[in-house]
């Protein structure tokens, strides 16, 4: 989806167009889960966080066309929701809960756990933008505020680390 497609879809969602909601969900829900998982390290929580962000996009009452970078805005929403989740979890008293998850929509996160364990925080941020959000290396470097050459070097290191994980 282009920037204008995203803005148009979210405006239509706010007006009650269920087809537009499906477009936003199909295009971004999995990406939101990956971003949230990178922060909370829990697949169920990542799913909940992504769901909350979708709902918040629908409740957005300002003119969404004023958002300069909709993808960056969505990424930041997911990150903020994930950090809020962590803050709230710190205040909770943990109790053993046994339940069976029958959700087929939850993306498989096992491969992601293997990869994120070996990446540094900065490499993880670049990995998310490149893989989950399908940005080019140049777009990701601009988004992260780093030089393109630095992004290239990090990406090279990411690829080496991923290869080492799967050679085992």
């Amino acid at each position: 989806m282009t920037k204008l497609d995203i803005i148009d879809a979210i405006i239509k969602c706010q007006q009650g167009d269920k087809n537009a909601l499906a477009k936003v969900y199909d295009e971004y829900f999995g990406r939101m889960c990956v971003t949230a998982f990178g922060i909370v390290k829990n697949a169920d929580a990542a799913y909940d966080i992504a769901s909350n962000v979708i709902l918040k996009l629908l409740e957005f009452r300002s003119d969404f066309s004023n958002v300069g970078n909709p993808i960056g805005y969505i990424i930041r929403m997911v990150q903020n929701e994930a950090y809020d989740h962590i803050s709230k979890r710190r205040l909770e008293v943990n109790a053993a809960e046994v339940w069976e998850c029958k959700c087929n929509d939850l993306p498989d996160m096992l491969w992601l756990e293997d990869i994120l364990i070996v990446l540094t925080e900065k490499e993880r941020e670049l990995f998310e933008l490149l893989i989950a959000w399908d940005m080019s290396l140049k777009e990701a470097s601009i988004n992260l505020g780093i030089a393109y050459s630095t992004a290239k070097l990090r990406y090279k290191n990411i690829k080496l680390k991923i290869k080492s994980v799967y050679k085992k």
Side-chain angles (χ1 to χ4, degrees), residues 35-47:
T35 299
F37 182 83
I39 296 169
V40 298
K41 310 289 190 270
N42 179 303
D44 295 330
Y47 184 88

Side-chain angles (χ1 to χ4, degrees), residues 9-48:
I10 291 177
I11 290 172
K12 286 180 180 177
C13 287
Q14 292 170 339
Q15 296 168 349
D17 184 350
K18 291 184 186 344
N19 291 330
L21 175 62
K23 282 183 187 177
V24 172
Y25 182 89
D26 291 342
E27 184 77 22
Y28 294 107
F29 189 79
R31 297 171 185 205
M32 290 179 191
C33 285
V34 169
T35 299
F37 182 83
I39 296 169
V40 298
K41 310 289 190 270
N42 179 303
D44 295 330
Y47 184 88
D48 293 341

Side-chain angles (χ1 to χ4, degrees), residues 43-97:
D44 295 330
Y47 184 88
D48 293 341
I49 289 165
S51 297
N52 288 342
V53 171
I54 291 286
L55 293 173
K56 285 183 179 184
L57 283 171
L58 294 175
E59 295 169 355
F60 191 84
R61 290 297 164 222
S62 299
D63 184 7
F64 200 78
S65 61
N66 292 333
V67 174
N69 180 1
I71 292 177
Y73 188 82
I74 292 170
I75 291 170
R76 181 55 64 193
M77 284 179 74
V78 173
Q79 291 170 338
N80 288 343
E81 189 72 21
Y83 293 131
D84 287 348
H85 174 80
I86 290 170
S87 295
K88 289 175 187 173
R89 294 290 297 178
R90 286 186 188 137
L91 300 174
E92 292 178 359
V93 176
N94 290 331
E97 295 178 358

Side-chain angles (χ1 to χ4, degrees), residues 41-155:
K41 310 289 190 270
N42 179 303
D44 295 330
Y47 184 88
D48 293 341
I49 289 165
S51 297
N52 288 342
V53 171
I54 291 286
L55 293 173
K56 285 183 179 184
L57 283 171
L58 294 175
E59 295 169 355
F60 191 84
R61 290 297 164 222
S62 299
D63 184 7
F64 200 78
S65 61
N66 292 333
V67 174
N69 180 1
I71 292 177
Y73 188 82
I74 292 170
I75 291 170
R76 181 55 64 193
M77 284 179 74
V78 173
Q79 291 170 338
N80 288 343
E81 189 72 21
Y83 293 131
D84 287 348
H85 174 80
I86 290 170
S87 295
K88 289 175 187 173
R89 294 290 297 178
R90 286 186 188 137
L91 300 174
E92 292 178 359
V93 176
N94 290 331
E97 295 178 358
V98 180
W99 61 283
E100 187 177 324
C101 181
K102 295 182 180 177
C103 183
N104 295 332
D105 294 335
L106 188 62
D108 178 20
M109 298 291 186
L110 292 177
W111 66 272
L112 192 58
E113 288 178 38
D114 294 339
I115 292 171
L116 292 181
I117 236 168
V118 298
L119 299 180
T120 66
E121 184 69 22
K122 291 180 180 185
E123 290 170 340
R124 184 191 58 76
E125 289 173 345
L126 181 63
F127 177 80
E128 283 179 15
L129 295 177
L130 294 173
I131 305 305
W133 292 95
D134 202 25
M135 287 187 184
S136 69
L137 197 54
K138 186 168 188 114
E139 291 171 326
S141 67
I142 291 169
N143 196 302
L144 293 172
I146 59 175
Y148 179 72
S149 58
T150 304
K152 280 175 56 175
L153 183 60
R154 280 188 198 161
Y155 186 52

